[in-house]
Amino acid sequence: MSVLEISNLCAEVDGKAILKGLDLTIEAGEIHAIMGPNGSGKSTLANVLSGKPGYEVTGGSVLFDGQDLLAMEAEERAHAGLFQAFQYPVEIPGVSNMEFLKTALESAAKAHGEEPLSTAAFMKMLRSAAAELDLATDFLKRGVNEGFSGGEKKRNEILQMKLLAPKLALLDETDSGLDIDALAVVGNGVTAFHKEDPTRSVLMITHYQRLLNHIVPDIVHVLADGRIVESGDKSLALALEEKGYAWLNKA
Amino acid sequence: MANESVHERLNREYSAGFITDIESETLPPGLNEDVVKFISAKKGEPDWLTRWRLEAFEHWQKMPKPDWAHVDFEPVDFQAISYYSAPKSQADGPQSLDEVDPELLRTYEKLGIPLHEQEMLAGVVRGNVAVDAVFDSVSIATTFKEKLHEAGVVFCPISEAVHSHPELVQKYLGSVVPQRDNFYAALNSAVFSDGSFVYIPEGVRCPMELSTYFRINAQNTGQFERTLIVADKGSYVSYLEGCTAPMRDENQLHAAVVELVALDDAEIKYSTVQNWYPGDAEGRGGIYNFVTKRGLCRDRAKISWTQVETGSAITWKYPSVVLRGDDSIGEFYSVALTNNRQQADTGTKMIHMGKRSKSTIVSKGISAGGSQNSYRGLVRVTPTASGARNYTQCDSLLIGDACGAHTFPYIENRNPGATVEHEATTSKVSDDQLFLCAQRGIDAEKAVSMIVNGFCKEVFRELPMEFAVEAGKLLEVSLEGAVG
């Protein structure tokens, strides 16, 4: 079954049409990448899917794992297994990473009618996940993203993704602001996340081909003016890198 | 999240807002010398105390109302208030809990106050806490009297202490907050009706937490309780005060005075959870909380004020410490939360007189809705206080964009050898923070409560364990509907 099925999606921000009839289907286990010029609607797509306030859906439908995604509150989408790694993760001073993740997992357990993990089991899981991402233990005690470097913030997003174990991970320009080493850590984190359970799906939004060297996509899409205008395999990303987006308009 | 929806959802329920239907004996509104004499006579007070009240009343009439606080309200008509209200069945004074009006006990049950000693001994409700409950103007019952008596601790209504321990009361009443200290303290000195009295003998560690619950029930009454705590040399006591009032459309006045005396090497820990009725979402009704709290530290003594202020339409309150003794310590830990139309102007005064005296101020102000929240603090170091140290940390958190946070720190340092530090921050619960939480599956109410609790952590740590949990829950309830 498809994990995500977007049909003719139209959305506005402040009365301005951004998405203009977007179609996209992702099957369970697939890794997709969306590329496209600035202002084409890449981040709008991610935010509409995760339910960020301020975006108005004016048409179309989105099925997530067979459910009507657009009818759900943002936290329900999270509970259903949708995860968004943010381009600019915000800070929450005073709330430790540990506490934040524990609250998130408890909310998910409650929504699924399950018993929450014991504190000991939670800590064990958290420590091992942090170690895989090269995050020190004191990092977990610090406020959420408080005073983190750009790289730490992104690694923290991947840590949250690992623990919440979603069905679909939306990576919104996760590669922006990362140096080469951090990019490798994040790339390996996402690849490991996918390997751990091959039914998990990933939708990467990126400007650059370089992320795709670390996370190899099954399908690459090009988004322009609110629609998918071209889809292909990994070679499409390379062609874009070489020729730029203008080449598509001529084609 | 649109601002619209923040405003739409700014309506909270006040869970302590019931009115108890009991017969009361209430003086008609108005204040004059006869009223002062009536109150004094009602309590069978000795002449010195009657004169003391009358002196205070005389001063009060000449005093201007303070207008420097960052609060805005219709002037109080002091002649429209009744200065004495007592549940009628109390006229003869209950000798034990069995004689207390059952309707009244039910009131306290609704408030979750454990008046029944057996429940408390069994630890059902709150564990080892002795409670004095002040209902409107009179003290209803003091539990655990026997156990405290064994330790030599005196814990009783102040009206009773006037008779049972006249020398202590006469010596210390007004010794920290004089009759003419300020407008509301003078008013309180003239008309105070009841309150708690505590004396801890030399070298005694009070065997349990002492606690007072205040409740204003009758309409158009003011509450003017007076609390006096004396910790003799080398003693220790931890004291907790809680307050609630029913929902009424009119404003009610609460002008209390709390005096703490910590003699050499003594320690007093005074914690307040204040949840007076804050008024409705449009700002109708609510308590005017104009309170004077001050402690005096002798050599090596320590006084620690911890307050969690969530209620009242207007809060005007500055728990202070006079560090008269050498090596004495003053602490002030405060969480003040305002929502809707509430206004709070609160903080502390640390007066350093003793050598190497030390003070710590940690203030956390949280503003939501259309409320105004001000920190006002004074650190004064006199020329005698060589080696004095103060550290002040003052943080404000804003929820929504219709509220205000203000900081008024005053530092008067007259000793070049003293160290005074002040740090302040202002932050906001942003829509992006709430969305990050929502995307991780945490709903808005839970997210705000998590953020606010994280913000208040340093203060909650100072509260006795069971009350820290209560304080966290109270914040959650007070913020209900503060986000959309």
Side-chain angles (χ1 to χ4, degrees):
Chain A
M1 188 174 64
S2 310
V3 66
L4 188 71
E5 209 177 323
I6 304 175
S7 315
N8 195 30
L9 182 63
C10 301
E12 291 180 2
V13 179
D14 295 330
K16 186 170 181 268
I18 308 285
L19 299 183
K20 302 167 182 174
L22 185 144
D23 297 297
L24 175 67
T25 299
I26 299 178
E27 301 299 330
E30 286 179 348
I31 297 180
H32 288 227
I34 292 188
M35 303 180 76
N38 283 332
S40 58
K42 298 191 301 294
S43 283
T44 297
L45 174 62
N47 291 333
V48 165
L49 292 178
S50 62
K52 185 172 181 164
Y55 295 83
E56 200 188 338
V57 174
T58 50
S61 66
V62 180
L63 289 180
F64 181 73
D65 218 14
Q67 290 174 275
D68 180 359
L69 186 74
L70 301 175
M72 294 155 86
E73 297 290 341
E75 59 266 26
E76 293 169 337
R77 300 180 194 196
H79 297 153
L82 181 80
F83 181 93
Q84 180 180 18
F86 294 100
Q87 190 176 354
Y88 305 108
V90 291
E91 300 188 0
I92 309 181
V95 176
S96 72
N97 253 333
M98 217 184 283
E99 209 179 321
F100 177 74
L101 281 165
K102 192 156 190 288
T103 308
L105 284 177
E106 281 169 1
S107 298
K110 198 176 161 198
H112 299 141
E114 293 161 7
E115 279 295 310
L117 281 178
S118 71
T119 304
F122 166 75
M123 285 311 298
K124 201 174 158 209
M125 182 166 109
L126 181 59
R127 285 213 186 91
S128 94
E132 278 177 50
L133 289 163
D134 270 345
L135 292 168
T137 316
D138 82 296
F139 177 89
L140 302 172
K141 293 181 188 158
R142 282 159 66 187
V144 176
N145 296 323
E146 197 178 358
F148 288 12
S149 69
E152 283 177 326
K153 282 183 181 176
K154 296 295 167 72
R155 275 187 281 166
N156 199 23
E157 295 289 285
I158 304 302
L159 175 69
Q160 292 168 18
M161 181 179 81
K162 278 179 81 84
L163 288 188
L164 289 166
K167 292 186 182 121
L168 174 66
L170 288 173
L171 310 181
D172 186 5
E173 306 210 18
T174 294
D175 51 336
S176 68
L178 290 186
D179 60 29
I180 293 174
D181 292 341
L183 189 68
V185 173
V186 166
N188 292 340
V190 174
T191 307
F193 161 80
H194 183 256
K195 231 182 215 160
E196 204 180 304
D197 178 352
T199 67
R200 288 173 178 166
S201 310
V202 176
L203 176 58
M204 293 181 272
I205 289 170
T206 181
H207 266 298
Y208 306 105
Q209 198 273 336
R210 61 176 197 166
L211 180 64
L212 309 188
N213 291 335
H214 295 279
I215 311 165
V216 182
D218 299 304
I219 301 172
V220 176
H221 308 274
V222 178
L223 181 62
D225 193 26
R227 283 185 205 93
I228 301 287
V229 293
E230 185 77 40
S231 300
D233 64 12
K234 194 177 178 293
S235 63
L236 178 58
L238 293 167
L240 284 171
E241 181 116 308
E242 203 176 309
K243 301 178 187 167
Y245 294 110
W247 155 74
L248 281 169
N249 297 340
K250 286 174 202 144
Chain B
M1 179 177 55
N3 295 324
E4 209 69 346
S5 62
V6 175
H7 295 304
E8 277 166 20
R9 297 197 51 191
L10 274 175
N11 45 4
R12 100 173 86 158
E13 292 292 324
Y14 181 71
S15 62
F18 52 86
I19 294 165
T20 305
D21 185 19
I22 45 171
E23 268 196 279
S24 297
E25 182 184 12
T26 304
L27 265 188
L31 182 55
N32 53 45
E33 236 182 68
D34 290 339
V35 169
V36 177
K37 284 180 185 158
F38 171 88
I39 295 169
S40 190
K42 197 81 195 159
K43 311 245 161 210
E45 287 175 353
D47 285 349
W48 71 265
L49 190 50
T50 314
R51 279 200 305 279
W52 194 84
R53 285 176 180 275
L54 288 169
E55 274 166 34
F57 180 63
E58 207 189 310
H59 284 296
W60 177 73
Q61 287 173 297
K62 295 177 204 145
M63 292 174 97
K65 283 172 218 168
D67 60 358
W68 41 262
H70 189 80
V71 291
D72 182 26
F73 59 101
E74 288 292 306
V76 178
D77 181 357
F78 291 93
Q79 296 303 336
I81 296 169
S82 165
Y83 288 84
Y84 187 83
S85 173
K88 216 169 206 168
S89 61
Q90 295 293 302
D92 300 314
Q95 299 309 304
S96 75
L97 279 179
D98 302 339
E99 292 176 33
V100 170
D101 187 335
E103 185 67 26
L104 230 125
L105 288 181
R106 271 193 291 278
T107 300
Y108 286 110
E109 265 169 30
K110 267 192 244 177
L111 291 170
I113 300 164
L115 271 176
H116 296 284
E117 295 188 17
Q118 59 274 32
E119 276 186 348
M120 297 168 61
L121 281 166
V124 178
V125 188
R126 271 183 216 270
N128 214 9
V129 180
V131 178
D132 184 20
V134 176
F135 192 85
D136 285 339
S137 299
V138 295
S139 193
I140 302 299
T142 305
T143 56
F144 266 128
K145 246 180 202 170
E146 280 310 302
K147 198 169 173 193
L148 291 168
H149 186 74
E150 278 168 37
V153 172
V154 182
F155 178 38
C156 66
I158 198 161
S159 56
E160 193 181 311
V162 167
H163 300 287
S164 60
H165 299 81
E167 68 298 337
L168 286 172
V169 176
Q170 193 168 4
K171 183 169 176 189
Y172 290 109
L173 185 72
S175 68
V176 186
V177 181
Q179 286 144 293
R180 49 179 101 169
D181 187 79
N182 67 69
F183 183 82
Y184 296 108
L187 177 64
N188 174 285
S189 301
V191 303
F192 77 89
S193 31
D194 219 331
S196 296
F197 174 79
V198 175
Y199 174 75
I200 315 292
E202 190 170 337
V204 169
R205 197 182 163 85
C206 187
M208 62 191 69
E209 303 266 350
L210 300 183
S211 173
T212 299
Y213 267 84
F214 296 111
R215 181 162 176 85
I216 299 176
N217 190 61
Q219 204 160 356
N220 298 322
T221 53
Q223 181 149 334
F224 306 94
E225 80 272 0
R226 185 140 195 140
T227 298
L228 175 60
I229 299 178
V230 180
D232 213 327
K233 291 175 184 170
S235 67
Y236 170 86
V237 63
S238 168
Y239 189 92
L240 184 111
E241 157 196 276
C243 334
T244 59
M247 285 149 87
R248 295 196 186 277
D249 287 343
E250 309 83 23
N251 294 107
Q252 287 177 287
L253 179 64
H254 173 248
V257 171
V258 176
E259 291 180 278
L260 309 182
V261 180
L263 299 181
D264 293 355
D265 302 295
E267 181 177 345
I268 301 175
K269 195 171 163 56
Y270 194 106
S271 314
T272 302
V273 175
Q274 186 263 109
N275 184 28
W276 295 119
Y277 178 50
D280 67 12
E282 275 74 50
R284 275 187 303 266
I287 301 292
Y288 288 171
N289 193 33
F290 302 147
V291 171
T292 305
K293 291 182 163 173
R294 194 176 304 150
L296 176 75
C297 279
R298 294 290 179 176
D299 288 350
R300 297 168 303 281
K302 177 175 174 184
I303 288 178
S304 180
W305 298 101
T306 305
Q307 60 172 21
V308 177
E309 304 274 323
T310 61
S312 296
I314 297 175
T315 297
W316 181 96
K317 179 180 165 186
Y318 316 89
S320 306
V321 183
V322 180
L323 297 156
R324 178 155 318 151
D326 292 347
D327 302 292
S328 55
I329 298 173
E331 293 176 340
F332 175 74
Y333 297 99
S334 169
V335 167
L337 181 149
T338 52
N339 194 357
N340 296 320
R341 300 293 177 86
Q342 282 177 277
Q343 305 175 66
D345 192 300
T346 184
T348 184
K349 288 188 272 185
M350 292 291 174
I351 314 295
H352 290 260
M353 297 163 82
K355 294 186 185 65
R356 298 169 304 278
S357 51
K358 246 177 32 189
S359 65
T360 304
I361 299 171
V362 177
S363 163
K364 304 277 181 178
I366 303 147
S367 329
S371 67
Q372 295 294 327
N373 200 324
S374 304
Y375 167 80
R376 187 183 302 277
L378 168 69
V379 177
R380 177 183 290 156
V381 181
T382 66
T384 53
S386 306
R389 293 188 79 93
N390 160 264
Y391 172 72
T392 300
Q393 183 193 331
C394 191
D395 300 324
S396 305
L397 182 69
L398 299 166
I399 303 173
D401 51 14
C403 52
H406 316 271
T407 305
F408 305 97
Y410 305 85
I411 297 171
E412 296 171 13
N413 188 353
R414 297 207 173 77
N415 189 309
T419 312
V420 179
E421 287 175 80
H422 182 96
E423 283 179 23
T425 66
T426 301
S427 52
K428 193 171 187 290
V429 176
S430 70
D431 294 348
D432 283 345
Q433 286 174 331
L434 294 179
F435 181 62
L436 168 62
C437 292
Q439 214 303 306
R440 301 301 182 249
I442 304 166
D443 66 43
E445 303 254 314
K446 185 111 204 147
V448 168
S449 142
M450 180 174 75
I451 293 169
V452 168
N453 270 291
F455 179 72
C456 299
K457 217 179 278 172
E458 287 156 283
V459 174
F460 286 174
R461 249 196 325 246
E462 299 297 325
L463 285 171
M465 182 75 101
E466 56 269 49
F467 301 122
V469 175
E470 187 182 334
K473 281 189 192 141
L474 188 57
L475 287 192
E476 209 163 306
V477 171
S478 300
L479 280 168
E480 253 167 37
V483 288

